[in-house]
Each structure stands twice: as C-alpha cells, then as structure tokens.
Amino acid sequence: MDTLPPFSFLAPLAMLAVALLAFVRPGRRPGALPRLAEAAAALGVLLAVGGVVQLLTTGPATLALGTGPVVLALRLDAVSATMALLVAFVGWVVVRYSGRYLDGEAREGAFHGLMLATLAAVLVLVQSGSLAVLVAAFLAVGIGMRQLLLFYPDRPEARRAAAKFTLVWGAGDALLIVAAILLWSAFGTADIAAITTAAAGGLPVSARVAVGLLILIAALKTASFPLHGWLTEVMEAPTPVSALLHAGIINAGGFLMIRLAALVQESSGAMAALVMVGGFTALFGAVVMLTQSAVKTALAWSTVAQMGFMLLQCGLGLWALALLHIVAHSMYKAHAFLSSGGAVQAVAGIRRPGAVAVPGPGAVARAFGLAIVLYTVVAVLFTLVTGPKSAQALALGAILVFGVAYLVAQGLADAAPKALTRRTALASLAATLAYFGFQAIAQALWGHDLPATPVAGPLEWALIVVAVLSFGLVAVAQALFPLWAHHPAAAGLRVHLANGLYLNAVLDRLIGGFRRAAGQ
C-alpha cells in the first residue's frame, strides 16, 4: 500500500495491549485497570472514526501479508468501516458499563481483559479481507465468548449455556474451515474481494458446496431455529456479556452473508434457504417472545426473531437493508440489555390508564385495509421520487404493513378513545415513511459496495408469497389474540410456546447437559 494503513486496523492492537495488562492483574479492584479498559475502548471508537474518514478521503484499502491460502489481509470498505464503528461504539459503552457493574468482583480484572480481547477479535472479524483472517477471527471470538459465559463457573446453568454455545459456534467454525478450503480450491485465491469478483462469472461445483455450507454457518452463528437454545440461556453470564453479544457476535452470521453477498447471490437455492430459515426463525422467535415473563429472556427471544428477519432480508437480496438492520438492532438491543435492570421499576411506575381497548374482527379487517392503502400511497410517492422498487423490497414493506395494521387496530377498537386513534394513525404513517426513507439511506450508504437485488423469478415470487402470507396470518392472530386468550386451548398453547416447544430440552439431552448439572 502506498498510503498509511487505515486507523481502524489499529483498534484491535490497542485493546489487546490493555487486555494483556488485565490478565496480569485478574483479581478484585485491579487499580486503574477499569479506566484503562474504558480508555482503550474509547480509543477504538476514535480509530474507527478515523477509518471512516480515510475511506471517504482515499477510498477502499487492503493491508495484506503473505500469499496463497494463508494470506493475512484486512479490508477497509463501506461495509467493514460501518461494522468496525458499530462494534467499537457498542463495545465502548459495554466496557464503560462493566466498570461499575463488576466493581469489587473477585475476578474483575480478568473480566475486563476478556471483554477487550473478545472485542478485538470481533474488530478483526468485521475487517477481515482474507479467508484465513476470517476463520482465525471466528475461532478467537468463540474462545473469548465461551470464557465470558463461564465467568461464574460454579453455576450449572452457566456451564450448560457455555457448552451449548461451544457446540453450535464450534460446529460453525468447522464448517467455515471446510468452506474456506473449497473456495480457495475453486477460485485459486483466499482474498475475499477477489473471490466475490470472480463469482460473477459463475460458480464451480466446489464453490456451490461452499455456499451451501456458508448458509448453514450463518444459521448457526445467528442462533437460528432449531439451534437457538444457547442464546436464551446466556442470561447466566453478567449483563454486559448479553449486551456484548450484539457488538458483532450474534450478528456474525449475517455479516458473513453480507461480506460474501456476491458469492451467495449466485446460488438461487442458497437465497431460497435464507428466506425459509430466516422467515421461520423470525416468526417462531417473535411468537415465543410474547409468552416470556422474564425481561432478559424476552429480549433474548426478540434477538432470535430479529436475526431471523435479518437472514430473510439477505435471502431477498436486500443486502443494504440487512446491514442497516444489524446496525439498528445492535444499538437498540445493547441498550435494552444494559437498562433491563430498571425495567420492572419503570413498568411499576407507569400510571395505569384503565381497561385496554380490544379490537374485534371488524376493527382488525378495517385496520388491515387502511394499512394496505396507506402503504400503497406512500410506496407510490417514494417510487415517483426515488425510482422503481424491487419486488423483494415491496414484499418486505408488505410485511411491515402487518405491524402497522396491528397499531391501527388498537386505534380502531370500538372502545378506543379518539386520542389513541390519532396516535396510532400518526405512528403508522411514521413507520411507513421511515421504512422507505431508511431504505433509500441504506442504499445510498452501502449500495455501491453490495450487489443489486436480483430480478425476482418464479422461485423468488413463490417464496415472497409464502413469506407475506405467513407473516400476515401471524399478525391477524396476534391482533385477535385478546378475543381467544382465555380459551383452554390457548392456555395450553401458551405453556408450550413459553417453553420454546421444548427444543432447548432436546438439545440439553443431546449434549448431556442435564446429566452434567445433576452430577455437580
């Protein structure tokens, strides 16, 4: 390279330097270490900002060392700069919070060291420019996260959660190594940018097998159905660990898909698999989330649903929207976990407004009709201003309509006050405008670095119809739920859903979690 290496490449080194100091003083009250950890994380944010500035002034850049399949490379482009800034910012917030949360813990210093080391690994992951660096970073993230989950090693639940995480994440790492070897043999290079460029000419057989493995890896790394159980049990770790998950760890599968978007999009079967796996995971996680009574567990199930929806966006070829989803969800959910301790007091302090207006079938039907009309009008207006939209983007917006319809239904209930009707109408309009507005922003920010949404063929149209109908049926059932919530069948269904249809118990049996917990 003729220019200086991007500043964002230096952020992991700064964090690792302080992490080494933390491991030297792993005990309680380790002097100025918490402040040093916070300073290292803050420096990471400044370096990530510097990387963005360099990208805007000098353009994309790659720093490479070595040749062949083990070439070590870091890449600066719009995707990596965005993810590096996101990871550094969320990481800084979590590290700052940890200084107070872990104050006085027996292994306080070790916790800060593990947090910084894991953050450094994630920063390398999101800036990886070669397959070797990508694989090594995934391995390092898994090791660091497992140690954080075992911060309280005497808790059987923590050991079980760590065992599940290791099983799922490790399986993904093994598949990634195989996929990397197949990609190198297919394209003769380990450089990710070169692979995605070469993929435009078609995929050889070994590359198609690799893409299939990558889809499976994405499902594993994002806690997709049915291997989502470990995510719902990480509550046994300190709260900062739950927040840290959203600094590029639970999003790693989605990032992998976005980074290799040009390669994945060459396989219509892979795209279809993403739609099916992501769509079902989104619906399953959202329905189970509604039955949870614990705040942090409900947030974990919400993450399952959101990661499924993000994979659905990838499967539809809406890569820029998927990246925006990662950014927005990471910041929101990290905040939600860090503030979850005050959720009970906040709810208790809310003044009860009295009876809730329950919409009947007529109000729900009118709400869906009005939401569709509202969506159509806004879509036409944005099409006239910003140009035609793809079928996939319109389909995703139609799924948004169902959430808008749920809002409208509350305002159209017979017992609803006029003030509620006005508020829900304004919120629905704002949500619809926001969807198209953010879509335009995402395309402007990252569209030039990501492949265009493919033209929908027969398979894509079939998947779009199935996805829209599935989300629509669930939305109608949710809107009408208060009318049949007291039916005996509903009570039984609620119990089964609250337990996640017992899939977690099956995984416990498979890994022997119950036997280990009983013997200790």
Side-chain angles (χ1 to χ4, degrees):
M1 288 175 51
D2 297 329
T3 59
L4 290 174
F7 292 117
S8 56
F9 293 175
L10 302 175
L13 295 177
M15 293 181 181
L16 283 176
V18 179
L20 291 176
L21 292 176
F23 294 138
V24 173
R25 300 198 62 182
R28 180 185 290 113
R29 312 263 182 198
L33 183 60
R35 292 190 294 275
L36 281 175
E38 182 182 340
L43 178 60
V45 177
L46 292 177
L47 291 172
V49 172
V52 173
V53 173
Q54 280 184 281
L55 175 65
L56 294 175
T57 55
T58 64
T62 299
L63 178 64
L65 177 65
T67 58
V70 293
V71 61
L72 304 179
L74 295 176
R75 172 76 176 168
L76 176 69
D77 57 21
V79 174
S80 65
T82 300
M83 289 298 299
L85 183 58
L86 171 68
V87 171
F89 177 73
V90 174
W92 169 64
V93 173
V94 174
V95 170
R96 180 179 174 85
Y97 179 89
S98 301
R100 297 186 299 272
Y101 187 91
L102 272 294
D103 187 27
E105 283 281 349
R107 297 173 58 237
E108 179 184 355
F111 185 86
H112 290 298
L114 287 170
M115 289 282 285
L116 289 175
T118 304
L119 270 174
V122 178
L123 282 170
V124 172
L125 170 63
V126 299
Q127 298 179 96
S128 55
S130 67
L131 295 175
V133 173
L134 186 69
V135 170
F138 265 117
L139 290 170
V141 170
I143 294 171
M145 192 64 200
R146 183 179 186 276
Q147 295 305 311
L148 286 170
L149 291 175
L150 287 172
F151 185 71
Y152 298 125
D154 56 325
R155 296 183 180 180
E157 294 83 357
R159 292 196 298 272
R160 188 162 60 239
K164 290 179 183 178
F165 170 80
T166 302
L167 176 66
V168 174
W169 194 272
D173 290 339
L175 292 174
L176 182 60
I177 292 172
V178 176
I181 294 173
L182 290 173
L183 289 174
W184 178 75
S185 65
F187 297 104
T189 179
D191 182 83
I192 292 176
I195 289 174
T196 54
T197 300
L203 300 181
V205 175
S206 57
R208 292 187 181 277
V209 175
V211 169
L213 293 177
L214 291 172
I215 300 302
L216 183 55
I217 294 165
L220 291 169
K221 300 293 187 183
T222 53
S224 295
F225 179 93
L227 297 173
H228 53 272
W230 67 268
L231 180 60
T232 62
E233 294 189 359
V234 298
M235 306 306 110
E236 286 302 315
T239 294
V241 178
S242 302
L244 182 67
L245 270 172
H246 297 85
I249 299 177
I250 192 60
N251 303 320
F255 167 76
L256 181 66
M257 292 294 95
I258 294 170
R259 171 52 73 201
L260 298 173
L263 177 69
V264 175
Q265 193 162 287
E266 285 297 314
S267 172
S268 58
M271 299 291 280
L274 281 172
V275 171
M276 291 185 288
V277 171
F280 186 83
T281 300
L283 290 172
F284 176 72
V287 171
V288 175
M289 177 195 68
L290 297 175
T291 65
Q292 303 301 307
S293 56
V295 175
K296 291 174 68 176
T297 304
L299 289 174
W301 278 105
S302 170
T303 295
V304 172
Q306 292 294 331
M307 292 301 96
F309 197 75
M310 185 262 298
L311 290 182
L312 170 65
Q313 291 172 312
C314 292
L316 292 174
L318 302 172
W319 303 105
L321 270 180
L323 182 55
L324 177 63
H325 192 145
I326 288 178
V327 173
H329 177 258
S330 294
M331 297 183 69
Y332 155 72
K333 195 58 66 68
H335 172 269
F337 271 108
L338 294 179
S339 61
S340 61
V344 175
Q345 292 88 337
V347 172
I350 296 175
R351 187 178 64 181
R352 300 298 187 270
V356 177
V358 177
V364 171
R366 292 193 301 273
F368 272 78
L370 289 174
I372 291 173
V373 170
L374 173 64
Y375 172 71
T376 302
V377 171
V378 174
V380 170
L381 291 176
F382 267 87
T383 298
L384 293 175
V385 174
T386 62
K389 307 297 179 185
S390 66
Q392 293 90 328
L394 293 175
L396 196 70
I399 293 173
L400 170 71
V401 163
F402 303 134
V404 171
Y406 180 77
L407 281 176
V408 175
Q410 313 308 306
L412 293 180
D414 295 335
K418 292 183 178 180
L420 177 61
T421 302
R422 288 194 299 270
R423 285 199 300 270
T424 53
L426 290 175
S428 302
L429 177 61
T432 309
L433 291 171
Y435 169 72
F436 287 103
F438 282 123
Q439 184 184 79
I441 293 172
Q443 194 62 33
L445 289 174
W446 305 299
H448 58 282
D449 275 18
L450 295 169
T453 303
V455 177
L459 176 60
E460 288 77 13
W461 274 111
L463 292 170
I464 286 172
V465 170
V466 171
V468 171
L469 289 178
S470 299
F471 278 89
L473 289 174
V474 171
V476 171
Q478 181 183 4
L480 294 175
F481 180 76
L483 300 178
W484 51 275
H486 301 292
H487 192 278
L493 179 61
R494 179 187 289 271
V495 172
H496 298 317
L497 289 175
N499 288 280
L501 301 183
Y502 310 102
L503 291 171
N504 214 7
V506 173
L507 186 58
D508 280 330
R509 295 284 186 177
L510 290 176
I511 66 173
F514 284 154
R515 290 192 295 275
R516 279 199 296 273
Q520 294 175 347

